[in-house]
Amino acid sequence: MSTTAVERPLPEGGTEARRHRGTGLGTLVVILLITGVASLAVGARALSPAEVWHGLFAAPDPDQRLTEIRLIVQTVRVPRAVLAIVAGVALGVGGALIQGFTRNPIADTGLLGVNAGASFAVVTAIAVFGFTNPFQYVWFAFLGAAVAGVVVFGLSSIGRGAGNPLTLALAGQGVTVFLAAMTTAISLSDQKSLNALRFWNSGSVAGVGFDVIWPVTAFIAVGLVLTLTTLPSLNLLNLGDDVARGLGVNIALSRTVGILAITLLAGAATAACGPIAFLGLMVAHVARYLTGPDYRWLVPYAGLLGALVLLISDIVGRLVVRPGELDSGVVVALLGAPFFAGLVWRGKFKSA
Amino acid sequence: MKQTGVGADAGAEAGKGIAPDGAPDGVTDAATDAKRSVAPGVRLGRLSFVWRPWMVLITLLLTAATFLVFCVSIGVGDFPIGLSRVIATILGRGEQVDEFVIMDLRMPRALAGLVVGVALGVSGAITQSVARNPLASPDILGITWGAGAVAVFLVTVSGGTATAVVSSVGLSAAALAGGLGTGLLVYFLAWRRGIDGFRLILIGISVSAVMQAITTWLLVNADIRDVARAQVWLVGSLDNRSWDEVRVALWCTLVLMVVVAAAAFQFKPMHLGDEVAAGLGVRHSRVRALLLLCAVLLAAVAVSAAGPVAFVALVAPQVAMRLVRHPTPPMVASGLVGALLLIGSDLVARAVLPISLPVGVVTAAIGGPFLVYLLVRANLRQTDR
């Protein structure tokens, strides 16, 4: 699935290693683009490359058939491919970041409580306001995810713990636990919410239009910019707090920016697709295997791998139970987990 | 300068940890605490242990509290019974009416809560200690989701036809098989010339994710009425327990606890690292395997008796650790905290809340904030000194 030019961990530093990593990154981008185009052709109705081309670029045509293709490509296939890439990048980068900042190799973006916060907000929106349309509760989901992330970070910052990785992970669990309980309580007493929740929970990149995708992408872009600013200090932080402080890193500031970035990335992706478990965790480990521990390389790899995995999962989900669909969140887990477990068993991973 | 009661802080200096693989080891870190190293040792024949009055005191208090809540919980219901009458009946000196209500009707539920709480607490303490990761709980090792997937399959797919056939006992048995099967699958997949805590967790997460995906998929395709039933089971509930179910769970748990107690003595030195433990004469991989097997079995028994009650296994050891101010999750106290949390939550669910909710909702609603409270308090206390 992610066979790149790089096959084994490379020696640290050196122009040689850097060139290899650069080539790998380039290869990933190319594979991602090809997969993206393939994703436009696949579906309940398979399209030929020529038809995809027409659907994308042909001027409005009186020919009924071409108009229909235009409709399929531009309003259904393109949005979901774009969303898969955007959300996949966000979840992959978010996963790599949170493992770095918490120094916990099993940390996932769900750890900050964003998934639980989003689910809770969705259920509340449905139960209280009677919303039925995903377009209406996307914003609640984002709000819930962001608030949960901020609360978790705030709680873990009280006192001297400030941004302490373990405190953060445990506070995240605590808040997740509480929100999940509230979500269950509401959904058990309100069948409409339960019904919506089970669909939202499975995670999917389908059925969302550009009116949602653009704002979500904007949030993710801000998250990515913040990410870029934290990468050098993240490398130093992983040498231990004392060393990092000695080398002049403002630990509290760096962690705050990092957590903010994770919240934006994971919150926006979760709001648009629902909770997609396991993706961030998995690609962060695969990226670490490919690049070694340098976060300046690891994070971009994780982002591209995240996009690739989500895109492929979406395509597979459209193919396996035709004419129905398997939600991409489900496919990510069903495909990714055995693959990941195999790599783990062969001893490919070291802890963060 | 580092404080014992705040293992929460330990991960910050992960570099100083004892974990050989460099994994975050907040669970084990505070072992270097200077205060502890001067604690007096006690020797009884071949056994020796450190005398920790605080730990003993807290454990006794927890036992008393658990017994008290247990009795109060039995007393509460449509036919309320006073605390003294409950205790008299349990001791075999009660009146006939009380005897019937308590022993026949309410005892199974209360005992189920006790047993499940203890089993989950101890199971969590073992997995967190072995994996040296406070997030490692039976939930992460796939046991609960494996049981859940099987149960949801029975409830939703076989649906109407099997509803009559699959009585709650059949469901429990299937869930037990599902949980056990998944736990053992994770164990064998993670086995590679021994068990490494880190590999175990990663494999566990993978298998868990698959089970969770299957469950989600089943729920998406099911009839909404079945979904509600499955949801209640997935949250965990103590409703309608019978003596038959409780008896099985009780005996299984008792036997397993004896094994755990025997193995735990050997486990202690392993917090110092495998090499040191081997030097002290501990066969570390065997002890670890045995303890993990017990943890899997305990969790599976608990899940089969009450469903995958949320987060008890995660929260109880962490709470116990901070209460007894011990650097690693203490087995006995973890079990007691688990029981207290479960019985207490069941009591709240029945006696306090306006609508009836499964116990799992309440354990989560109480356990989550309490964990956060302990964290915040520990951090604040540190600031003062």
Side-chain angles (χ1 to χ4, degrees):
Chain A
M1 181 158 57
S2 55
T3 42
T4 65
V6 190
E7 283 298 338
R8 62 182 68 84
L10 289 157
E12 277 309 295
T15 46
E16 180 78 355
R18 211 172 299 143
R19 214 188 59 223
H20 271 294
R21 291 179 194 162
T23 319
L25 211 57
T27 317
L28 268 182
V29 172
V30 173
I31 296 177
L32 187 60
L33 287 177
I34 296 172
T35 318
V37 174
S39 125
L40 299 181
V42 175
R45 172 168 175 186
L47 301 176
S48 71
E51 283 174 317
V52 170
W53 182 263
H54 276 292
L56 277 177
F57 300 113
D61 195 298
D63 180 354
Q64 190 58 40
R65 203 179 113 70
L66 265 186
T67 316
E68 195 188 317
I69 290 170
R70 261 176 64 89
L71 201 70
I72 293 177
V73 171
Q74 293 191 355
T75 62
V76 180
R77 303 265 171 96
V78 171
R80 72 190 283 177
V82 170
L83 182 60
I85 291 173
V86 170
V89 166
L91 290 172
V93 170
L97 280 188
I98 195 159
Q99 289 189 8
F101 276 106
T102 60
R103 247 186 270 146
N104 192 327
I106 61 171
D108 196 10
T109 43
L111 195 72
L112 272 183
V114 290
N115 289 352
S119 296
F120 175 68
V122 166
V123 165
T124 310
I126 296 167
V128 175
F129 301 106
F131 288 164
T132 47
N133 190 329
F135 296 100
Q136 293 167 308
Y137 53 71
V138 150
W139 302 113
F140 282 85
F142 185 67
L143 193 68
V147 169
V150 169
V151 166
V152 166
F153 184 63
L155 284 172
S156 68
S157 308
I158 298 174
R160 216 190 63 174
N164 172 321
L166 188 62
T167 312
L168 184 71
L170 286 173
Q173 280 293 327
V175 169
T176 300
V177 164
F178 181 73
L179 287 175
M182 295 298 114
T183 308
T184 314
I186 294 175
S187 67
L188 278 183
S189 47
D190 182 66
Q191 202 172 72
K192 219 167 47 176
S193 332
L194 178 63
N195 199 21
L197 187 70
R198 63 176 171 149
F199 290 111
W200 196 77
N201 257 342
S202 58
S204 170
V205 293
V208 177
F210 275 109
D211 51 340
V212 170
I213 293 176
W214 289 134
V216 163
T217 309
F219 281 113
I220 290 174
V222 175
L224 289 177
V225 171
L226 288 179
T227 303
L228 286 179
T229 66
T230 66
L231 291 185
S233 57
L234 184 54
N235 272 341
L236 296 177
L237 274 177
N238 274 272
L239 299 173
D241 283 5
D242 295 338
V243 176
R245 200 176 287 121
L247 290 171
V249 175
N250 184 340
I251 294 181
L253 176 70
S254 161
R255 288 218 172 102
T256 308
V257 174
I259 301 301
L260 191 63
I262 296 167
T263 308
L264 282 172
L265 293 170
T270 306
C273 313
I276 294 184
F278 196 65
L279 181 67
L281 175 95
M282 176 173 65
V283 298
H285 280 276
V286 176
R288 185 172 294 114
Y289 165 60
L290 290 173
T291 66
D294 185 347
Y295 279 91
R296 288 169 305 175
W297 287 100
L298 197 161
V299 166
Y301 264 76
L304 289 176
L305 284 170
L308 192 59
V309 172
L310 193 52
L311 202 51
I312 292 176
S313 299
D314 183 41
I315 296 175
V316 171
R318 275 181 269 171
L319 291 179
V320 284
V321 289
R322 295 175 82 174
E325 282 189 15
L326 209 52
D327 292 305
S328 30
V330 174
V331 182
V332 166
L334 287 182
L335 277 187
F339 171 75
F340 182 65
L343 289 179
V344 171
W345 193 83
R346 290 171 56 203
K348 295 298 185 195
F349 301 124
K350 290 191 217 69
S351 39
Chain B
M1 149 192 170
K2 227 161 112 208
Q3 202 53 43
T4 346
V6 282
D9 189 49
E13 284 91 15
K16 289 183 196 163
I18 343 166
D21 53 4
D25 48 351
V27 182
T28 57
D29 201 323
T32 49
D33 180 28
K35 210 164 106 190
R36 183 176 321 289
S37 61
V38 294
V42 176
R43 185 169 279 278
L44 285 174
R46 291 183 58 206
L47 299 177
S48 68
F49 51 90
V50 181
W51 171 242
R52 298 193 174 107
W54 178 260
M55 192 172 180
V56 174
L57 176 70
I58 292 290
T59 308
L60 286 178
L61 280 177
L62 279 174
T63 313
T66 309
F67 182 70
L68 194 67
V69 178
F70 183 78
C71 293
V72 170
S73 170
I74 288 180
V76 170
D78 289 340
F79 176 71
I81 301 175
L83 190 58
S84 54
R85 275 161 65 197
V86 172
I87 295 178
T89 312
I90 291 178
L91 296 176
R93 271 176 267 145
E95 294 164 34
Q96 200 110 47
V97 194
D98 292 354
E99 183 109 353
F100 170 72
V101 173
I102 289 174
M103 298 314 278
D104 289 359
L105 299 182
R106 295 187 186 165
M107 194 54 117
R109 182 189 192 118
L111 266 185
L114 186 72
V115 168
V116 169
V118 168
L120 285 176
V122 173
S123 178
I126 293 174
T127 46
Q128 292 183 1
S129 301
V130 170
R132 294 182 170 157
N133 194 315
L135 300 179
S137 66
D139 309 271
I140 270 190
L141 294 186
I143 299 157
T144 40
W145 276 109
V150 172
V152 170
F153 177 79
L154 279 184
V155 172
T156 58
V157 170
S158 42
T161 48
T163 313
V165 184
V166 183
S167 63
S168 62
V169 178
L171 197 62
S172 309
L176 180 64
L180 258 185
T182 315
L184 294 179
L185 177 72
V186 169
Y187 187 82
F188 286 119
L189 284 179
W191 178 272
R192 198 186 184 225
R193 276 174 273 135
I195 283 290
D196 165 55
F198 179 63
R199 189 165 59 234
L200 185 77
I201 292 180
L202 287 182
I203 298 271
I205 292 176
S206 311
V207 174
S208 250
V210 171
M211 294 299 166
Q212 211 170 333
I214 294 173
T215 309
T216 308
W217 180 238
L218 287 170
L219 287 179
V220 165
N221 285 322
D223 184 278
I224 185 71
R225 280 160 305 185
D226 289 336
V227 172
R229 278 186 53 215
Q231 188 75 24
V232 170
W233 196 89
L234 278 176
V235 172
S237 159
L238 289 173
D239 290 340
N240 307 320
R241 291 308 103 151
S242 72
W243 266 112
D244 289 334
E245 292 166 274
V246 174
R247 209 170 281 127
V248 175
L250 185 63
W251 282 114
C252 290
T253 307
L254 278 177
V255 170
L256 286 166
M257 292 302 286
V258 173
V259 180
V260 169
F265 238 97
Q266 296 263 304
F267 183 67
K268 273 266 154 87
M270 285 165 60
H271 290 306
L272 303 172
D274 284 356
E275 287 83 5
V276 177
L280 291 169
V282 175
R283 292 170 154 167
H284 48 81
S285 58
R286 258 178 53 180
V287 173
R288 195 177 291 143
L290 182 65
L291 275 174
L292 273 178
L293 185 67
C294 288
V296 169
L297 287 166
L298 280 170
V301 168
V303 171
S304 74
V309 185
F311 311 111
V312 174
L314 177 93
V315 170
Q318 292 297 314
V319 171
M321 216 169 92
R322 285 163 176 77
L323 284 179
V324 305
R325 300 186 188 162
H326 194 263
T328 60
M331 303 278 174
V332 181
S334 299
L336 287 170
V337 171
L340 200 54
L341 183 58
L342 203 64
I343 305 175
S345 300
D346 190 43
L347 184 62
V348 170
R350 283 183 298 143
V352 181
L353 295 181
I355 50 169
S356 102
L357 284 172
V359 66
V361 171
V362 188
T363 55
I366 295 177
F370 190 59
L371 182 65
V372 171
Y373 160 76
L374 284 176
L375 281 170
V376 170
R377 202 194 59 167
N379 281 342
L380 281 180
R381 188 146 5 86
Q382 237 180 359
T383 322
D384 299 340
R385 301 192 177 186

